[in-house]
Amino acid sequence: MRKPVIAGNWKMHMTCAEARSYMATFLPLIENTSDDRHLVIAPPFTAISTVAEIVRNTSLEISSQNVHWEDQGAYTAEVSPTMLLEHKVRYAIVGHSEPRKYFSESDEQINRRAISAQRHGLIPIVCVGETDEQRERGEAERVIRRQVEQGLEGTSCENLVVAYEPIWAIGTGKTCAATEANRICGLIRSWVGSSNLIIQYGGSVKPANIDELMAMSDIDGVLVGGASLDPDSFARIANYNII
Ligand code: PGA
């Protein structure tokens, strides 16, 4: 049985004060959420210890938004797995399309981050997805397959999450049709060859489409950006009902 992972990625939002106020509203709303799903929040690095302290006795788990492959060293602006583990971080997003785009992250770097995360007992959430132009040119499957094969090389299918996030659907309000997202997630599963692999969909997930997405056979959770910034809307997503 694959246990779905519902994750909110706060990106570069939330001071510690804002995170405290968010959690005061959010935590009561997930008090009775079924334990048939994992609930995860990815604060910016500066708010991780504050959030980790607040959620200590709850079911909410913490993710980082990236992780480096070395334990320490001369890597200005990077954060190592051991630094995250000190704050009870459980997941690490790697290969999100924003660092891929703005900082030219390569599949090879993403792969090193994922391997290192697993070696330290963190669960990498490896993001893959095509641009609008790639989809229009009929290259979506080839691009995603390359990202999957290179990004996951040498990783274990246990303690691993893959997030299919079509770039044209991120922050645009344009969700990928649930059936198409499901088809791509199924392809990823067949390329990886593991029926246990957790595969999320991400890209304009919101209260209005969560139930339909979670009803799909190959979608095992969601990675939520914008809609995770509002505690009521992320709580509705966390409390999805299969339709
Ligand atoms: P979005 O972002 O939900 O705002 O589209 C998703 C993501 O970037 O993971």
Side-chain angles (χ1 to χ4, degrees), residues 64 66-72 79-87 89 92 112-113 115-122:
S64 62
N66 209 344
V67 63
H68 198 259
W69 51 85
E70 296 290 350
D71 290 359
Q72 56 186 29
V79 171
S80 81
T82 46
M83 293 169 181
L84 297 172
L85 289 168
E86 198 179 23
H87 296 286
V89 170
R112 292 178 77 182
R113 293 181 192 280
I115 288 177
S116 165
Q118 283 193 331
R119 198 176 59 236
H120 286 86
L122 291 166

Side-chain angles (χ1 to χ4, degrees), residues 6 55 58 65 67 80 107 136-137 146 187 189 206 235:
I6 307 296
V55 306
T58 74
Q65 297 179 15
V67 63
S80 81
D107 287 313
E136 259 152 42
R137 286 199 300 263
R146 190 206 66 225
L187 279 177
R189 190 180 308 292
K206 46 198 167 219

Side-chain angles (χ1 to χ4, degrees), residues 9 11 96-98 165 169-172 202-205 223-227:
N9 172 13
K11 308 192 179 183
H96 190 278
S97 66
E98 285 149 13
E165 298 207 297
I170 295 180
T172 59
S204 298
V205 175
L223 185 53
V224 189

Side-chain angles (χ1 to χ4, degrees), residues 97 128-132 135 144 163-172 174-176 181 184 201-204:
S97 66
V128 299
E130 81 286 1
T131 63
D132 219 353
R135 177 161 280 264
I144 299 163
Y164 168 53
E165 298 207 297
I167 295 169
W168 47 270
I170 295 180
T172 59
K174 279 201 278 179
T175 326
C176 182
I184 300 283
Y201 166 77
S204 298

Side-chain angles (χ1 to χ4, degrees), residues 94-95 100 106-115 118 123-128 144-163 187-194 197-199:
V94 300
R100 281 185 195 263
S106 67
D107 287 313
E108 196 225 328
Q109 287 170 317
I110 290 157
N111 178 244
R112 292 178 77 182
R113 293 181 192 280
I115 288 177
Q118 283 193 331
I123 302 172
I125 300 177
V126 181
C127 305
V128 299
I144 299 163
R145 187 165 189 163
R146 190 206 66 225
Q147 293 173 338
V148 167
E149 288 179 352
Q150 295 183 5
L152 300 188
E153 199 185 327
T155 60
S156 152
C157 292
E158 304 298 316
N159 295 325
L160 175 67
V161 176
V162 174
L187 279 177
I188 294 172
R189 190 180 308 292
S190 69
W191 296 330
V192 176
S194 164
L197 180 65
I198 302 292
I199 307 179

